[in-house]
């Protein structure tokens, strides 16, 4: 799990249960995307909750989840410039 901690003490991460985040203090969990099937059974990752693109379609849900996580790590889990 990658955990980004800014100078003001706020942090962000792509949520997993790898560690108990509550030990860091008060936590607020917000959705970063929506991974959903379309009418043809293909999967998309909609990253609009973090002002990102829609990725896909993908044949499998696991592919959409990987693309979602990869995009979040590369574009959202970074310090502001």
């Amino acid at each position: 799990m990658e955990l980004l901690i800014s100078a003001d003490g706020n942090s962000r991460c792509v949520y997993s249960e790898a560690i108990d985040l509550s030990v860091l203090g008060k936590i607020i969990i917000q959705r970063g995307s929506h991974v959903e099937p379309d009418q043809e059974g293909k999967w998309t990752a909609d990253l609009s909750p973090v002002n990102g693109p829609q990725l896909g379609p993908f044949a499998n849900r696991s592919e959409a989840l990987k693309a979602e996580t990869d995009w979040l790590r590369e574009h959202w889990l970074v310090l502001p410039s």
Side-chain angles (χ1 to χ4, degrees), residues 13-35:
C13 66
V14 176
Y15 181 82
S16 77
E17 295 174 346
I19 64 170
D20 178 5
L21 294 173
S22 68
V23 300
L24 301 175
K26 181 181 177 192
I27 61 173
I28 299 170
I29 299 172
Q30 297 174 314
R31 179 173 293 281
S33 71
H34 303 277
V35 175

Side-chain angles (χ1 to χ4, degrees), residues 57-72:
F58 299 95
N60 301 302
R61 181 175 182 267
S62 59
E63 292 176 64
L65 291 171
K66 180 175 181 343
E68 166 205 35
T69 302
D70 290 347
W71 190 93
L72 287 169

